[in-house]
Amino acid sequence: MLRQIHIFYKKERIFTHNYALALGVNELENVLKIITSYMEAPMPGKIFQKPLSNFQVFHQGKGKVYYLMITDQIDSLQYVNKIFNQLVKKFDEIYPNPLEISQENQKREDFLQYLNQLQKDFHSKVAIVGPLHAGKTTLYNMLKVDDTERNIMDFAKSSNFILDNLSFDLWDFQLQDNSSLLWSKFVSGSDLIIIVFDISNYNLKILEKFLNLKRREGNLSKLLILGNKVDLVNKEYLKRIKNDLKIQNYHLISLEVKDSNLEVLNLIRNVLNLKQSLPHNFDPLLNKSKTLEKEGKLVEAVKTYKELIEISNQNQLFSYLKNFENKIFLLNKKIQEGLELKRKVERKKKFAAPQQIKFSKKVKVKNLPGGLDELKSSKKNLTPLPKRSKQKSSKDELEISPEDIKSNLQLIGKRNPMKENIEKSPKELKTENKSIGDPSIILKKMIEDKGSTLSLNLCNLYLSEMEQSLGRPLEYSDIEAAAEVFVKQEQTS
Ligand SMILES: Nc1nc2c(ncn2[C@@H]2O[C@H](COP(=O)(O)OP(=O)(O)OP(=O)(O)O)[C@@H](O)[C@H]2O)c(=O)[nH]1
Ligand SMILES: [Mg+2]
């Protein structure tokens, strides 16, 4: 059966589709090491086959795109060939730009639907075998999808059987003959052989015949043995026949009992090694990590994402894995930058708390758009600007060096909100820069110099928070550090 499809572009994995469990991340890495030379120089149109311990890898390249199909060991190259070529053709057709596969759009939906059809076309086979009257047809009827039945010549019937969104062809033998030569044909190429026998009335020789049939014709097929009609026997009997039967790993069942279908489906799921449903804590963990991230509890968020990676690894959830690994990478980066900032500001010890801002030139303010006229007409007085935005005209003060400038940083966070609407002429801004001045304006300018932007209001807020967390007034180098961290974070987010 078809288990996984991996698609690579320039040797980078760009897509994985998991039909059933097969290769985990590490096993896939090992396979890639083996086939790397094929990827470097692909032979278009040629499919290579590589058996692994439990599975097989079929691989083929076209241009810069490389395809891997993981199947069970039963599937021959001849059998896989047609399906593989269909996959390559379709991908090539839908994605002239292979990297577009990462986008969640209609194209991708269509492609995924096509992959489901491909799995159906693979015709994975489940054959029900066993002695006469064991309950084979009862099982067949229990599992088959109605109205899908077809005759396989005159010796078998086949219907669709769906399990975990995977499609199988389910075969039921029609001849009343334990020794028919057609049994070999019946089981050949099966992914799974289910032997059903009547536990209340069995014949060891006949049972052995069917076990040999499996060994001979289906040595690569998976096997499930059901001892049916357990409702007809008691515990004493079961104890007595245990040694007599000489079969291990058979499952007692009563196919005519209600809900036995769920038990059978679970047994088939296990023996075929299909995908397990996600553990119940997966979604809550996912929500938790998102909330932690939002709340800024980055270290805890990383821990939760690591737990999710472990679950995704166990379940071979390749798409989740990539996502979570990216998250951890970005969060760790943010944590590092935070630490770096903390270290920087802690290093600044020599700081004399500034008392007062001194400006070198008068600041002109523009009217509030529309608002000033309104205010005038209503004869209301404008609130005067805060003192610190006024300037002194003394020549001495114009020549003051930046170190001598004292700004009242305690005012940060208590500004007049109208300040956001104030614009200063470029000339004045330049003069003001020379003399340090308002820390928020300095930060804004520093950020702009580094090719980014942040509103004056947010600069103000940013510095207020910084000051609060430091528990002391800010100094010039703190503002420099703040600008650097902001721009860095913006570039990585
Ligand atoms: N008591 C009991 N009877 C069952 C159970 N499962 C099937 N049977 C009965 O066993 C008989 C044979 O069942 P089938 O499903 O026709 O068996 P089969 O293996 O297909 O038989 P052939 O095709 O004739 O070889 C039927 O009468 C079923 O009703 C079970 O779990 N308990
Ligand atoms: Mg039958």
Side-chain angles (χ1 to χ4, degrees):
M1 67 178 285
L2 186 51
R3 290 189 173 266
Q4 279 179 340
I5 288 174
H6 301 278
I7 302 179
F8 297 80
Y9 179 67
K10 294 183 177 173
K11 290 168 77 178
E12 285 290 320
R13 187 169 52 81
I14 54 170
F15 177 78
T16 288
H17 190 71
N18 260 345
Y19 296 101
L21 291 179
L23 304 184
V25 178
N26 295 340
E27 290 136 324
L28 182 63
E29 281 296 313
N30 289 337
V31 168
L32 292 180
K33 274 181 206 151
I34 299 168
I35 64 165
T36 187
S37 57
Y38 296 85
M39 285 177 122
E40 278 157 7
M43 286 172 68
K46 176 139 179 64
I47 301 172
F48 296 92
Q49 181 181 17
K50 169 95 196 135
L52 303 173
S53 52
N54 288 322
F55 311 107
Q56 286 187 97
V57 181
F58 294 90
H59 54 109
Q60 180 184 194
K62 191 172 182 222
K64 288 176 177 121
V65 185
Y66 211 83
Y67 303 84
L68 247 64
M69 247 187 199
I70 318 296
T71 73
D72 280 0
Q73 287 174 326
I74 185 90
D75 303 302
S76 64
L77 176 58
Q78 197 186 11
Y79 192 75
V80 170
N81 197 54
K82 193 173 140 228
I83 298 286
F84 203 129
N85 286 331
Q86 281 176 12
L87 165 75
V88 174
K89 190 163 169 260
K90 191 72 181 180
F91 185 81
D92 208 30
E93 212 174 272
I94 299 190
Y95 288 110
N97 169 18
L99 292 176
E100 207 191 324
I101 187 85
S102 63
Q103 289 172 25
E104 304 279 342
N105 52 20
Q106 190 56 43
K107 252 189 200 183
R108 193 178 153 104
E109 282 302 309
D110 293 347
F111 185 59
L112 291 177
Q113 206 150 355
Y114 184 79
L115 294 184
N116 284 341
Q117 185 57 41
L118 218 57
Q119 191 278 328
K120 207 170 176 186
D121 293 346
F122 211 82
H123 292 288
S124 304
K125 181 176 169 184
V126 177
I128 305 173
V129 308
L132 288 178
H133 304 301
K136 302 181 295 296
T137 303
T138 307
L139 177 62
Y140 171 78
N141 288 334
M142 176 196 277
L143 301 178
K144 74 174 185 185
V145 176
D146 288 337
D147 302 327
T148 58
E149 190 166 86
R150 57 206 171 272
N151 288 318
I152 311 290
M153 302 205 301
D154 60 351
F155 71 96
K157 281 189 171 161
S158 166
S159 283
N160 283 356
F161 156 54
I162 309 285
L163 179 57
D164 297 349
N165 289 324
L166 299 178
S167 174
F168 295 87
D169 289 357
L170 185 68
W171 286 41
D172 186 30
F173 201 69
Q174 296 299 302
L175 306 180
Q176 305 264 310
D177 181 357
N178 285 331
S179 309
S180 169
L181 294 175
L182 286 163
W183 277 113
S184 304
K185 207 177 170 77
F186 181 82
V187 297
S188 110
S190 297
D191 291 89
L192 171 63
I193 294 173
I194 305 179
I195 297 180
V196 184
F197 71 97
D198 181 346
I199 192 101
S200 71
N201 180 19
Y202 61 90
N203 176 314
L204 274 181
K205 269 193 182 164
I206 295 174
L207 198 49
E208 191 56 35
K209 218 179 225 177
F210 283 103
L211 288 166
N212 279 334
L213 173 75
K214 152 73 178 87
R215 285 183 206 117
R216 202 177 58 244
E217 303 292 340
N219 68 328
L220 294 174
S221 312
K222 306 228 171 341
L223 173 66
L224 174 64
I225 308 174
L226 299 177
N228 189 29
K229 306 192 190 181
V230 74
D231 54 297
L232 298 180
V233 298
N234 58 31
K235 277 186 184 165
E236 295 301 314
Y237 171 85
L238 288 174
K239 256 190 208 164
R240 220 173 41 240
I241 62 158
K242 209 172 177 185
N243 290 335
D244 182 43
L245 256 178
K246 290 181 200 129
I247 318 173
Q248 280 147 12
N249 298 331
Y250 63 91
H251 301 269
L252 295 171
I253 198 145
S254 185
L255 291 171
E256 286 203 331
V257 165
K258 198 174 159 262
D259 289 343
S260 59
N261 61 328
L262 297 178
E263 205 176 331
V264 171
L265 291 178
N266 234 356
L267 289 169
I268 297 176
R269 194 177 277 126
N270 284 341
V271 74
L272 282 178
N273 210 8
L274 300 186
K275 280 191 278 189
Q276 310 294 317
S277 49
L278 284 177
H280 60 278
N281 63 338
F282 186 84
D283 281 338
L285 264 181
L286 193 57
N287 290 335
K288 186 181 163 191
S289 52
K290 282 179 188 164
T291 312
L292 287 170
E293 201 181 334
K294 259 189 212 157
E295 289 171 354
K297 296 174 181 164
L298 306 188
V299 177
E300 282 175 69
V302 166
K303 202 174 146 229
T304 317
Y305 278 122
K306 278 184 181 166
E307 281 177 57
L308 284 164
I309 283 192
E310 209 173 307
I311 297 174
S312 308
N313 252 327
Q314 278 160 9
N315 293 273
Q316 296 171 8
L317 306 168
F318 282 81
S319 52
Y320 277 115
L321 268 178
K322 209 170 179 178
N323 205 338
F324 296 149
E325 280 162 3
N326 275 345
K327 279 271 180 214
I328 290 182
F329 176 77
L330 291 175
L331 286 174
N332 275 335
K333 216 170 164 186
K334 267 189 187 173
I335 293 170
Q336 281 311 315
E337 280 169 357
L339 288 174
E340 184 59 25
L341 172 67
K342 216 173 160 189
R343 272 197 292 272
K344 259 186 183 171
V345 294
E346 275 169 2
R347 258 184 253 133
K348 314 291 170 191
K349 295 254 162 86
K350 282 191 246 161
F351 177 67
Q355 293 305 313
Q356 195 184 0
I357 297 173
K358 291 183 181 176
F359 290 100
S360 50
K361 223 175 172 186
K362 191 170 185 178
V363 173
K364 286 179 189 167
V365 296
K366 272 190 178 179
N367 289 343
L368 288 170
L372 193 58
D373 288 344
E374 261 184 85
L375 287 169
K376 272 182 185 167
S377 63
S378 63
K379 298 191 175 162
K380 279 183 188 161
N381 286 331
L382 278 172
T383 314
L385 284 169
K387 255 186 182 174
R388 63 195 174 94
S389 62
K390 294 199 173 169
Q391 65 179 72
K392 294 189 178 174
S393 57
S394 147
K395 195 167 182 293
D396 285 344
E397 279 166 7
L398 273 174
E399 286 166 6
I400 278 171
S401 66
E403 300 86 72
D404 298 329
I405 301 295
K406 307 220 166 153
S407 56
N408 189 350
L409 287 167
Q410 278 142 4
L411 285 175
I412 293 172
K414 294 179 190 166
R415 291 198 184 108
N416 188 336
M418 284 172 71
K419 200 171 187 303
E420 257 310 80
N421 296 323
I422 295 169
E423 283 181 18
K424 294 165 191 172
S425 72
K427 196 181 161 212
E428 285 157 355
L429 192 66
K430 199 177 157 215
T431 318
E432 204 176 271
N433 277 347
K434 255 189 210 169
S435 55
I436 296 198
D438 187 326
S440 308
I441 295 174
I442 297 170
L443 177 63
K444 188 175 188 304
K445 180 77 171 47
M446 279 178 180
I447 287 173
E448 282 166 2
D449 287 348
K450 288 175 191 292
S452 192
T453 55
L454 186 67
S455 78
L456 200 57
N457 217 7
L458 290 176
C459 284
N460 187 2
L461 204 71
Y462 192 359
L463 292 178
S464 300
E465 277 177 9
M466 194 176 173
E467 191 176 28
Q468 240 172 32
S469 70
L470 286 173
R472 61 160 173 78
L474 299 177
E475 60 183 9
Y476 189 81
S477 53
D478 295 332
I479 303 170
E480 276 180 320
E484 198 170 313
V485 169
F486 172 81
V487 174
K488 248 192 199 169
Q489 282 195 353
E490 205 193 31
Q491 280 163 355
T492 53
S493 61

